[in-house]
Structures are given as C-alpha cells and as structure tokens.
C-alpha cells in the first residue's frame, strides 16, 4: 500500500474470517479481498478520525470507533455503506476502540468517562438498539465475553452479563 500523504497512514486494520482485509487510514476506509485486491473505498466525513475498526464475527458488519469524539458507526462488511450510527448519548470523550462479541453485541470504549471510570458501552443488537448499556470498565472483548485485564476490572463486573 503506497503512502502518498499523511492522510494515507494506516491507523488500524482487521481481517474477516473469510480473509477480507479492512484498512482504516486517517481519512478513509479501504476494503480488500483475501488476495488483497481492492473492493471498495469510502471517504470518511470531514474531521472524523477513526481510531479502531473491527469486522463482526460473520463478516457482514464493520464497526468504526473514532478519536476525539463520542462516535461509533456500523458499516456493511461488503461495501462499507453506513448501516447504523449507534446511540452515544451521554458520552463524553471518545469511543475509539470497538469490538463485536461472538453473539453480535457491539462494544466500544476509549476516553469516554462516567462515574469516575472509563466504562465500555454495549449495544445488544450490534449498534441498532437504543440506548446503549454500560458494560464494565477497561476490559478486553474476547470470544463472546469480556476478559478482565486487571484486578480492578475483575471487581467491576459487567452490567447485564
């Protein structure tokens, strides 16, 4: 992938189970097939800077978390069209880190703060439900659940799990 400007710098990538590659740069999302042939590219809204991108387990959806703003998008895993803009009401800070659980729940976290911590937000139906639920704090999403990355996280538990 040749870089021609700073806006072409890669900020995150993910690979779907079928081998497709998703690449996020500072200004766009790019989708490639398993042989790295270009499928689709979309320009992101002006001023929007992606922080993280993840395919859903079935590869049909892509989550995009953004730096510097409480913003999350769900896009098609086939052509990157916008499918949903999950409700982030009440969030301050950003939701740069995104992940899907194996059962399709969408999680996001980042500098978003609430109650003296940095909880994860969770959308039960992959970002199409409102409002989101708090899902604990600073944990790693792994194989359908959350794995705590510290003793403090283990004590916080996960709301609704």
């Amino acid at each position: 992938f040749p870089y021609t400007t700073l806006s072409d710098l890669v900020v995150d990538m993910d690979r779907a189970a079928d081998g497709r590659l998703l690449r996020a740069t500072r200004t766009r999302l790019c989708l490639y097939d398993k042989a790295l042939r270009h499928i689709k590219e979309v320009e992101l809204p002006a001023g929007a800077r992606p922080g993280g991108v993840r395919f859903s387990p079935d590869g049909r959806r892509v989550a995009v978390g953004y730096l510097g703003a409480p913003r999350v998008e769900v896009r098609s895993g086939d052509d990157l069209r916008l499918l949903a803009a999950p409700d982030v009401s009440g969030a301050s800070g950003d939701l740069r880190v995104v992940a899907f659980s194996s059962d399709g729940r969408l999680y996001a976290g980042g500098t978003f703060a609430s109650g003296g911590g940095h909880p994860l937000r969770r959308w039960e139906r992959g970002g199409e439900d409102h409002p989101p639920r708090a899902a604990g704090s600073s944990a790693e999403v792994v194989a359908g659940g959350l794995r705590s990355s510290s003793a403090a996280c283990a004590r916080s538990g996960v709301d609704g799990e």
Side-chain angles (χ1 to χ4, degrees):
F1 307 110
Y3 300 116
T4 56
T5 67
L6 285 178
S7 64
D8 291 330
L9 294 177
V10 175
V11 296
D12 199 15
M13 294 190 308
D14 193 30
R15 190 169 287 277
D18 66 4
R20 284 174 295 147
L21 178 72
L22 176 64
R23 178 173 67 115
T25 72
R26 295 170 98 183
T27 60
R28 64 182 54 100
L29 299 176
C30 306
L31 185 63
Y32 302 89
D33 68 15
K34 65 182 178 182
L36 297 180
R37 291 181 298 255
H38 183 261
I39 296 173
K40 182 72 175 182
E41 182 174 314
V42 296
E43 193 79 21
L44 295 171
R49 291 183 41 223
V53 293
R54 290 295 173 267
F55 277 103
S56 62
D58 63 9
R60 293 185 354 215
R61 295 173 294 152
V62 168
V64 183
Y66 286 91
L67 296 167
R71 180 179 185 161
V72 176
E73 293 177 345
V74 178
R75 292 179 171 267
S76 165
D78 296 321
D79 61 12
L80 302 177
R81 75 184 179 285
L82 185 63
L83 299 176
D87 181 3
V88 295
S89 59
S92 61
D94 67 37
L95 293 165
R96 67 180 73 189
V97 180
V98 291
F100 285 98
S101 61
S102 60
D103 63 2
R105 293 177 181 174
L106 173 62
Y107 292 85
T111 63
F112 159 62
S114 177
H118 296 281
L120 295 174
R121 300 292 294 270
R122 178 182 67 213
W123 294 269
E124 297 292 324
R125 293 187 358 245
E128 298 176 20
D129 50 320
H130 304 281
R133 300 181 64 178
S137 62
S138 299
E140 180 181 354
V141 178
V142 179
L146 294 171
R147 180 175 68 207
S148 296
S149 56
S150 72
C153 293
R155 286 190 303 271
S156 70
V158 178
D159 181 35
E161 292 282 318

